[in-house]
Amino acid sequence: MPINNFGYRRLFRFAGYREAEMAAIHFVRKLEVFAPLAPDGEQALHDLALKRPRSCPAHADLISEGEDPKTVYLVLEGWACRYKMLEDGRRQILSLFLPGDLCDPYVYILKRMDHSIAALTPLKVALITPREFEELTDAQPRVVRALWWESLVTGAIQREWLVSAGQRSSLEALAHLLCETYFRLQLVGLEKDGQCPFPLTQSDMADALGVTQPHVSRTLQELHDTGLVLLKRRQLTVYDVDGLRRLASFNPDYLHHR
Amino acid sequence: MPINNFGYRRLFRFAGYREAEMAAIHFVRKLEVFAPLAPDGEQALHDLALKRPRSCPAHADLISEGEDPKTVYLVLEGWACRYKMLEDGRRQILSLFLPGDLCDPYVYILKRMDHSIAALTPLKVALITPREFEELTDAQPRVVRALWWESLVTGAIQREWLVSAGQRSSLEALAHLLCETYFRLQLVGLEKDGQCPFPLTQSDMADALGVTQPHVSRTLQELHDTGLVLLKRRQLTVYDVDGLRRLASFNPDYLHHR
DNA sequence: CGCTATATTGACTTTGCTCAACCCAGGTGG
DNA sequence: CCACCTGGGTTGAGCAAAGTCAATATAGCG
């Protein structure tokens, strides 16, 4: 059984429902942005999000490449990522999961994970079983459409990362990553006054962009020196959104936020 | 309305059903690899694949970024690709569509395409309307699962391309592209004696990998000089599959071919 | 046969990598 | 409360991979 670079994986039950409830609300609201749901559909989603809460320490795998995916995760609090490693230790971060994000509603169709999912920060997730999932979607056909939308947006983000890796310079690519994350966090209400959390280390960013960590350090400085952003203490401040968008050639259409 | 780099887009009806029929069979067989279908499900899929055949010249867009996706395409013959362009003309090819491939069964949920789809060679496709699609999936629940599988595999390929762009050297990445395509073509019976069609130009490969065309030229030579492959006249010959796999660190698990 | 698209090659430049030293902040235990 | 430790982050010098640009060659196609 493949194991992640930290060699352990753990999920714990947890109690404090306060933040979880917040995130469940964000999740439902995000889906509503796309497809207005019936009140009972809304309630059903909300309940599902709170049914089986688990927490997980930073750097642990939620699930590792090669394992059989048995449940779906809904991120309630904290950040996670998909990643894939080559034998020699090179790691590519494939995507980020932010609060309110659902990890592939239908993966359980496959026998083995072709990538891993890890917590980037201490994490709280809801576990959802395929069974519960199918009960929900049978009862609430409009939810299916909303989930398809989530899924299509996830695919679009994945493609945009490839555009960054393939075509954008490291400066443009980093600007794009910050911009995209900023917009996604706005959607779930985690941005305020041009600021948002941004808990990735420079090594994480390096592995997401396909560059080296020292280079991220220099590139971040450049973004700061040109007055666009400040990234300090895991907190991102965007001074000039338009400048950042222009530099990154960021066009939010692919996020399909209506 | 955005227009592609060739400035035109056209779809024509066509008659000669011979090859189309072949490809429809491949498509059905590919889905069967994953989920055995009921005989009438098989027939329904097959009919759908032949109902509204269209042809399209090389380099034309099937659909362009910004347009409203109204139908689904099934590739019957020839190759197509997804791509995305930046304002300054940089182009990233995001994925390839080979014969028997279906372009996102559920895109029509979205209002606007966030990328374009173009023919790389003269192309024959089947048009399928959302309506027809839903009728089929309502009548044949097992087909839904097979389509989900197709969709999950497509996502996995997309992620693997990001691994290539982010972590692999250009030599490894090119080897990986050739290897992946070779395997995918095998699945639909288009490989024979270590040979398969490979109609991409060096510029296409460059835009898929995120490198320059002269660099592809040199890299292809290197792959040839080390006795791994020969690419000549749009035909790929693989001399040493294992060597190619090793070089590319290609692990076919992500294709989920059972 | 000649036109256009594609591929090859070379000289030079640039971007980002490597490796190693150093710095800083926050957390822990004495 | 302070000393230390550790996990990030910064910096510098030299290097390698891939880009740029342009000239030339080749191959299909009409």
Side-chain angles (χ1 to χ4, degrees), chain A residues 214-256:
Chain A
H215 195 59
V216 169
S217 175
R218 295 185 242 260
T219 308
L220 269 176
Q221 282 172 51
E222 200 175 336
L223 284 178
H224 179 245
D225 294 347
T226 45
L228 294 174
V229 302
L230 173 67
L231 183 48
K232 199 151 187 104
R233 310 266 172 82
R234 326 268 108 138
Q235 183 81 6
L236 173 66
T237 310
V238 178
Y239 293 131
D240 177 1
V241 195
D242 286 342
L244 196 64
R245 287 179 55 166
R246 239 175 298 119
L247 171 59
S249 56
F250 175 84
N251 174 346
D253 288 354
Y254 73 98
L255 295 174
H256 298 280

Side-chain angles (χ1 to χ4, degrees), chain B residues 194-211:
Chain B
Q195 296 207 323
C196 66
F198 198 90
L200 300 207
T201 65
Q202 291 185 353
S203 297
D204 293 334
M205 293 180 245
D207 289 349
L209 301 174
V211 300

Side-chain angles (χ1 to χ4, degrees), chain A residues 84 90 114 148 160 256, chain B residues 84 106 114 160 167 256:
Chain A
K84 207 161 173 170
R90 284 177 281 180
D114 54 59
W148 261 114
E160 196 66 45
H256 298 280
Chain B
K84 207 159 174 171
Y106 295 92
D114 54 59
E160 197 64 46
Q167 302 301 321
H256 297 280

Side-chain angles (χ1 to χ4, degrees), chain A residues 59-83:
Chain A
H59 304 141
D61 271 12
L62 279 173
I63 186 167
S64 307
E65 184 171 345
E67 288 186 322
D68 180 9
K70 287 189 171 51
T71 62
V72 170
Y73 307 101
L74 169 64
V75 178
L76 298 173
E77 201 190 327
W79 292 26
C81 70
R82 280 182 225 273
Y83 70 92

Side-chain angles (χ1 to χ4, degrees), chain B residues 133-204:
Chain B
F133 220 85
E134 277 162 10
E135 278 167 10
L136 173 68
T137 50
D138 285 351
Q140 302 286 340
R142 292 159 99 185
V143 171
V144 180
R145 219 179 151 82
L147 291 175
W148 261 113
W149 169 79
E150 244 246 328
S151 187
L152 291 167
V153 171
T154 303
I157 293 174
Q158 191 72 72
R159 288 188 292 269
E160 197 64 46
W161 280 39
L162 183 57
V163 175
S164 279
Q167 302 301 321
R168 292 191 243 258
S169 69
S170 59
L171 188 69
E172 295 170 320
L174 181 54
H176 197 279
L177 175 66
L178 299 180
C179 218
E180 174 185 289
T181 312
Y182 185 78
F183 271 69
R184 287 173 63 188
L185 289 171
Q186 254 180 352
L187 191 70
V188 288
L190 288 171
E191 173 269 351
K192 191 165 181 287
D193 304 329
Q195 296 207 323
C196 66
F198 198 90
L200 300 207
T201 65
Q202 291 185 353
S203 297
D204 293 334

Side-chain angles (χ1 to χ4, degrees), chain B residues 9-73:
Chain B
R9 167 170 32 85
R10 293 184 207 128
L11 285 176
F12 303 99
R13 284 160 199 282
F14 75 96
Y17 282 71
R18 206 72 49 80
E19 294 92 345
E21 193 132 11
M22 283 299 292
I25 289 167
H26 288 140
F27 166 62
V28 174
R29 188 181 304 153
K30 195 177 64 159
L31 288 188
E32 292 248 315
V33 166
F34 174 69
L37 304 169
D40 56 336
E42 211 174 289
Q43 187 58 44
L45 269 177
H46 191 265
D47 292 348
L48 205 49
L50 291 176
K51 195 165 178 189
R52 228 186 306 278
R54 292 288 183 280
S55 74
C56 167
H59 303 140
D61 270 11
L62 281 172
I63 186 167
S64 307
E65 185 172 343
E67 287 185 323
D68 180 9
K70 287 189 173 50
T71 63
V72 170
Y73 307 100

